[in-house]
Amino acid sequence: MYKHLFFDDKYLLVKENAKRSYGVPTLCEDAIYCDDNVNTSYAAPWVFKLDDGRYRMLYHGPLLHVNSASGVFVAISDDGIHFEPEDVTLVRTATNVHTKNQVFVTSSYVGEPACIFEDHVTDNKAERYKMLIAHYYNDPPYVDGWLYTSPDLINWTRVEGVLWSTDGEPTTGVFYNDKKKCWTIIKRLVAGVRMAGYVETTDWRNFSQIQKCVQVDSLDGDLEELYGMPSFAYDGWFIGFPFIYGSLTSKLESKYAGGTMKAQLAYSQDGRYWVRSLREPFISGQAGDRTASAAFNAPMVWPSSMRVGDDGNIYIHAAATELEHGFAFHGVTYTAGRMFTYKLRRDGFIKLESRDKESESVIATRENVWHGGELHLNLKARRATVAVYEGLERNSKGGVNSSSLCSLIDGFSHEDCIAFEGDSCDWIPEFKSGKKMSDLEGKTLIFELKFEDGELYSIYGEMTPVFNVPAARYRINNEMPPMIL
């Protein structure tokens, strides 16, 4: 299956009366989580669905009333939204402090989790969950990446001799790249260097050399930096949340004391080459921002976990703090942090919406080699119809059609389409002619959507999108081109 998500227009031929904008992650205000014992101003949390149907959340931070002690803490939920502290006894701390709701603890100067994730590929049950730890050395300043594994998110064991990075830091992303059959780590190039690169591994013992993949550029605001990019696999795509560290003043000093953290969007189709989307916050907690809490102003928000719920919606979990950068990490003696949960409709990252709601909007894809089955659309609209066109084998002069010239397929016109009204994540167009999309298998098809007062989130089905020349080669030689990601 291929899913057209509209981060850019490379697979579109027509775009009329439509503008690109973010979907809106809705903050679950009734589910804001606070730990009275921990400064949760750090990048976190990570949420997992357990085998019994419940959800476990892990997060980290310093204990508020114990000097030099920090750790990873746990909470439990029946619905993945509303969490309560879980009654888990501390395993061990460097200071021998015993408390509940604590899983794995280090002293504050040693390190912190960079990412926690489930390894769904491994057959080793003892390594089902993995925790990447950033282990700090202060003089000189280096950061080793240690690997811990667990069968249950509670009991953790360090894998001795394994370094996933020699400069591993927090705000790291990990996902499985099914296209490359490897795990990908998105991390800073070097400790303290605020640009991101990717490292790949197939066994969590051997790792590739890091390659740069994303940074700030001239479209960003003054003095902004890329702090990190938690990243996730999603329906054939890879989604990143670039943390943009900004709102800084000019001074001859490293950017640390003060400043805000807002998450934008980035995307990739191979897990290596990344493109940044709209240069505005996708998630931000400051008062007045579209995803901010009405009750908890948060200059820094760290969305670190993303999952698809049983209801098909996307859930994003983030840590938020009322303090700015630097001040949030040292000497905090009260609960300055919270855990946020956002709900986003399926495919709801980016939408093409009507500019003029009283006029018709038109979107048409490039050609797609159709492999059969039904066509699916995720949209809401006052009214919408679809027409299907076939790429011609020859142009009007009898030559190779390398210009995507097409003709309307009989029975698949807008007039034949049974009009859609409302909101659906899975509208399957039907035609009065009774003809089916499955009848068009093997053809190169262009899909044209017309809608009124609408929002289009995705078009998906068993297809391979192609540009004009590869489409012409396919029609003549039946040569299936590699998909241009």
Side-chain angles (χ1 to χ4, degrees):
M1 185 189 76
Y2 182 80
K3 179 169 285 187
H4 287 283
L5 294 175
F6 302 105
F7 292 100
D8 55 53
D9 290 349
K10 68 177 180 289
Y11 284 132
L12 296 183
L13 289 176
V14 176
K15 180 181 170 190
E16 298 176 0
N17 188 33
K19 64 179 180 179
R20 176 177 289 101
S21 58
Y22 283 145
V24 180
T26 302
L27 177 63
C28 301
E29 290 271 12
D30 68 333
I32 294 176
Y33 178 88
C34 177
D35 189 324
D36 293 334
N37 299 308
V38 182
N39 173 23
T40 56
S41 297
Y42 291 68
W46 299 272
V47 173
F48 306 89
K49 186 173 183 180
L50 304 177
D51 294 338
D52 64 5
R54 296 182 301 165
Y55 297 82
R56 179 167 284 143
M57 176 171 70
L58 277 68
Y59 55 97
H60 74 105
L63 289 164
L64 290 173
H65 309 298
V66 181
N67 291 331
S68 300
S70 64
V72 177
F73 304 83
V74 291
I76 199 75
S77 170
D78 290 330
D79 61 5
I81 300 173
H82 302 84
F83 285 87
E84 296 291 338
E86 189 171 4
D87 187 10
V88 175
T89 303
L90 171 71
V91 177
R92 189 183 71 177
T93 79
T95 53
N96 294 319
V97 177
H98 288 263
T99 181
K100 292 184 177 181
N101 311 325
Q102 205 159 345
V103 184
F104 167 83
V105 171
T106 64
S107 60
S108 60
Y109 58 85
V110 171
E112 57 188 292
C115 187
I116 307 173
F117 60 97
E118 182 175 5
D119 184 344
H120 62 279
V121 179
T122 184
D123 294 325
N124 187 345
K125 294 182 180 179
E127 296 192 1
R128 176 178 177 180
Y129 299 100
K130 291 180 168 62
M131 180 190 300
L132 306 186
I133 289 286
H135 178 88
Y136 299 116
Y137 301 92
N138 289 327
D139 190 10
Y142 286 93
V143 185
D144 277 351
W146 288 358
L147 174 65
Y148 284 74
T149 61
S150 171
D152 55 10
L153 294 169
I154 299 297
N155 300 288
W156 293 91
T157 303
R158 183 184 171 193
V159 183
E160 297 292 341
V162 172
L163 289 179
W164 56 271
S165 170
T166 54
D167 265 316
E169 287 200 77
T171 64
T172 291
V174 176
F175 57 83
Y176 185 72
N177 188 333
D178 193 54
K179 297 174 182 178
K180 307 296 183 185
K181 303 302 178 185
C182 67
W183 286 92
T184 300
I185 305 169
I186 304 292
K187 61 175 287 290
R188 289 187 185 178
L189 296 175
V190 179
V193 176
R194 291 171 181 161
M195 292 180 280
Y198 68 87
V199 172
E200 295 175 335
T201 180
T202 58
D203 59 6
W204 287 103
R205 300 299 186 271
N206 301 281
F207 303 88
S208 68
Q209 293 294 314
I210 192 165
Q211 302 289 326
K212 187 168 75 170
C213 62
V214 66
Q215 67 174 57
V216 293
D217 56 36
S218 57
L219 296 180
D220 290 294
D222 293 341
L223 301 177
E224 289 184 336
E225 293 188 335
L226 178 75
Y227 203 85
M229 191 174 73
S231 310
F232 312 90
Y234 180 83
D235 278 3
W237 292 74
F238 303 101
I239 308 297
F241 298 141
F243 289 166
I244 303 301
Y245 177 35
S247 303
L248 300 160
T249 57
S250 297
K251 57 183 176 180
L252 294 175
E253 186 179 319
S254 178
K255 302 166 189 177
Y256 185 80
T260 63
M261 199 72 63
K262 301 183 179 185
Q264 296 182 359
L265 269 183
Y267 59 98
S268 173
Q269 290 187 278
D270 67 357
R272 297 173 175 175
Y273 175 75
W274 287 80
V275 181
R276 293 175 58 197
S277 187
L278 306 179
R279 304 309 169 86
E280 57 190 61
F282 181 65
I283 289 178
S284 174
Q286 283 193 282
D289 289 349
R290 66 196 189 101
T291 55
S293 168
F296 188 79
N297 181 55
M300 294 203 298
V301 177
W302 317 82
S304 300
S305 182
M306 187 182 88
R307 61 182 178 82
V308 178
D310 293 336
D311 57 3
N313 291 306
I314 299 166
Y315 290 90
I316 300 168
H317 303 276
T321 176
E322 65 184 28
L323 301 174
E324 292 194 2
H325 190 274
F327 305 113
F329 308 142
H330 305 288
V332 179
T333 59
Y334 68 102
T335 52
R338 299 289 189 274
M339 298 296 167
F340 285 176
T341 296
Y342 301 88
K343 181 178 178 181
L344 184 70
R345 71 178 287 143
R346 185 195 308 176
D347 306 338
F349 304 104
I350 289 283
K351 59 186 174 182
L352 299 178
E353 61 179 326
S354 301
R355 288 184 182 275
D356 180 356
K357 299 184 184 303
E358 301 305 316
S359 300
E360 184 177 71
S361 300
V362 184
I363 300 294
T365 68
R366 283 184 179 271
E367 292 170 273
N368 301 271
V369 178
W370 189 246
H371 305 303
E374 301 287 358
L375 181 68
H376 305 259
L377 293 93
N378 183 336
L379 79 166
K380 59 169 105 173
R382 186 168 60 225
R383 186 179 189 277
T385 57
V386 167
V388 184
Y389 298 78
E390 180 182 6
L392 300 177
E393 184 164 336
R394 300 288 171 179
N395 60 30
S396 59
K397 298 181 179 179
V400 173
N401 171 25
S402 58
S403 301
S404 293
L405 299 174
C406 61
S407 64
L408 181 64
I409 302 176
D410 183 51
F412 289 91
S413 68
H414 287 285
E415 292 72 26
D416 287 312
C417 182
I418 299 173
F420 168 84
E421 298 177 358
D423 185 342
S424 175
C425 291
D426 189 11
W427 173 47
I428 300 175
E430 295 181 334
F431 298 87
K432 300 171 187 175
S433 63
K435 294 187 176 182
K436 303 289 186 182
M437 288 296 303
S438 56
D439 300 332
L440 304 178
E441 182 176 347
K443 298 183 181 297
T444 54
L445 305 180
I446 288 173
F447 305 114
E448 182 182 67
L449 172 70
K450 294 184 177 180
F451 59 93
E452 300 170 4
D453 187 12
E455 300 175 357
L456 173 64
Y457 291 91
S458 65
I459 300 174
Y460 56 103
E462 297 297 333
M463 63 179 119
T464 301
V466 289
F467 287 82
N468 49 316
V469 171
R473 292 173 182 167
Y474 171 80
R475 284 189 291 267
I476 294 172
N477 295 329
N478 199 31
E479 175 187 334
M480 189 65 203
M483 187 163 62
I484 306 300
L485 297 173

